[in-house]
Amino acid sequence: MNKTENKQLQEIVSQQEYPLLFATISGAHLYGFPSPDSDYDLRGVHILPIAEVIGLNSPRETIEISRLEENIELDLVTHDIKKFFGLLLKRNGYVLEQLYSPLIVYTTPEHEELKAIASSCITKHHVYHYLGFAQTQWRLFSKENSPRVKPLLYVYRVLLTGIHLMQTGQIEANLVKLNQQFQLPYIPELIDRKLQGKEKSTLTNTDIDFHEREYLRLCQTLESASQSSNLPENPAAKQILHDLLVRVRIRYGKI
């Protein structure tokens, strides 16, 4: 666990309207290839007051804030605890990556408790999240007039995270760390090109042909990893999540 020492991010999080269960950093910083001008993608869980949950008004299940704070471009998205728990019970890789991000801006004892519980929410059907996300990223990449390194890195990050999850049952979203396992020789060069700036960040037709073959190969590897995975078919933590939800709502969600 790496609790960030960025005081500015901590201050922004502390100003939120509702109590938070946790807030972590996602996006390029989590994936291991932030540029100097990369914005900060903060993700987390807020806890609505009981009155807002049981009343007639529609609860604020998701809160999104985008702003420029001094020299930091910030994108903050939080879900109410009930919505987040519901997403954990589906094949949603986004919320798992947010929950297990080691780049922690704010945490609580219940955050640690939730991480222990959520391992029982991981199933072999999460493969569909990672295959679908990779396919979307590849389509975006291949449609660009001058294909850039950044979306290609997202393709590889997603595929390697998915393969690693199917093989180990553990979330790892950092491409640099993932490549210590997979040893793809072109990954360090792509990351370096992204970090060098725009003049190094586009690819030639020859590059694209090679990466399309790699993309298809890794998609097949991900599908095979799912078929041989020891992960369960269904999540097994619904009742435990229910109990935690009730306890947290009562403790933090004052009327």
Side-chain angles (χ1 to χ4, degrees):
M1 180 175 70
N2 300 323
K3 194 165 190 301
T4 179
E5 297 301 322
N6 190 314
K7 301 298 184 183
Q8 196 170 353
L9 294 180
Q10 292 175 350
E11 178 66 21
I12 292 168
V13 165
S14 71
Q15 296 170 357
Q16 298 312 299
E17 180 177 356
Y18 301 111
L20 296 179
L21 192 74
F22 72 85
T24 59
I25 299 174
S26 187
H29 290 87
L30 173 61
Y31 305 153
F33 44 83
S35 301
D37 60 348
S38 290
D39 61 354
Y40 278 89
D41 297 308
L42 298 187
R43 300 293 182 265
V45 170
H46 64 265
I47 306 161
L48 290 173
I50 294 172
E52 293 192 28
V53 176
I54 65 176
L56 286 176
N57 295 328
S58 298
R60 298 179 66 188
E61 290 187 324
T62 300
I63 298 174
E64 301 181 39
I65 299 172
S66 295
R67 69 188 191 201
L68 185 62
E69 186 81 15
E70 295 182 9
N71 61 332
I72 290 181
E73 188 174 348
L74 175 72
D75 180 41
L76 171 63
V77 180
T78 63
H79 297 305
D80 176 59
I81 184 172
K82 182 178 180 180
K83 180 175 181 178
F84 191 87
F85 283 13
L87 292 171
L88 278 176
L89 291 169
K90 299 177 181 178
R91 56 191 190 204
N92 189 308
Y94 297 122
V95 292
L96 288 172
E97 292 172 13
Q98 294 162 19
L99 175 64
Y100 288 109
S101 170
L103 306 179
I104 298 171
V105 180
Y106 178 82
T107 188
T108 60
E110 291 83 2
H111 177 206
E112 290 300 312
E113 185 177 353
L114 180 58
K115 286 195 284 186
I117 295 170
S119 62
S120 297
C121 296
I122 299 172
T123 74
K124 62 176 56 182
H125 296 296
H126 278 85
V127 68
Y128 298 112
H129 166 87
Y130 287 98
L131 280 172
F133 191 14
Q135 290 164 1
T136 298
Q137 291 296 317
W138 180 261
R139 283 196 298 269
L140 293 172
F141 166 74
S142 60
K143 287 180 179 179
E144 293 188 336
N145 292 327
S146 299
R148 296 169 299 133
V149 165
K150 180 179 177 179
L152 182 60
L153 283 171
Y154 275 75
V155 170
Y156 284 127
R157 199 288 299 177
V158 168
L159 287 169
L160 297 189
T161 294
I163 295 168
H164 180 78
L165 182 63
M166 292 299 106
Q167 292 176 343
T168 68
Q170 298 178 342
I171 290 288
E172 178 55 72
N174 185 293
L175 184 57
V176 176
K177 292 182 179 179
L178 286 163
N179 204 45
Q180 292 174 2
Q181 172 189 346
F182 291 97
Q183 294 291 303
L184 301 180
Y186 46 82
I187 294 295
E189 179 193 357
L190 289 174
I191 292 176
D192 185 59
R193 288 175 66 174
K194 178 181 182 291
L195 298 181
Q196 286 185 44
K198 293 182 179 179
E199 68 278 2
K200 297 287 186 179
S201 65
T202 56
L203 300 164
T204 67
N205 289 335
T206 302
D207 291 330
I208 295 168
D209 290 341
F210 168 78
H211 289 296
E212 183 172 18
R213 292 193 297 272
E214 280 294 276
Y215 159 69
L216 294 173
R217 180 182 71 83
L218 290 171
C219 282
Q220 187 173 29
T221 301
L222 176 53
E223 290 177 336
S224 298
S226 171
Q227 292 166 5
S228 60
S229 177
N230 292 322
L231 289 170
E233 293 282 344
N234 299 300
K238 185 175 182 179
Q239 186 59 48
I240 302 174
L241 286 173
H242 168 83
D243 294 342
L244 178 59
L245 170 60
V246 172
R247 178 157 43 90
V248 169
R249 186 80 77 193
I250 292 172
R251 178 178 179 184
Y252 295 98
K254 304 299 184 183
I255 294 180

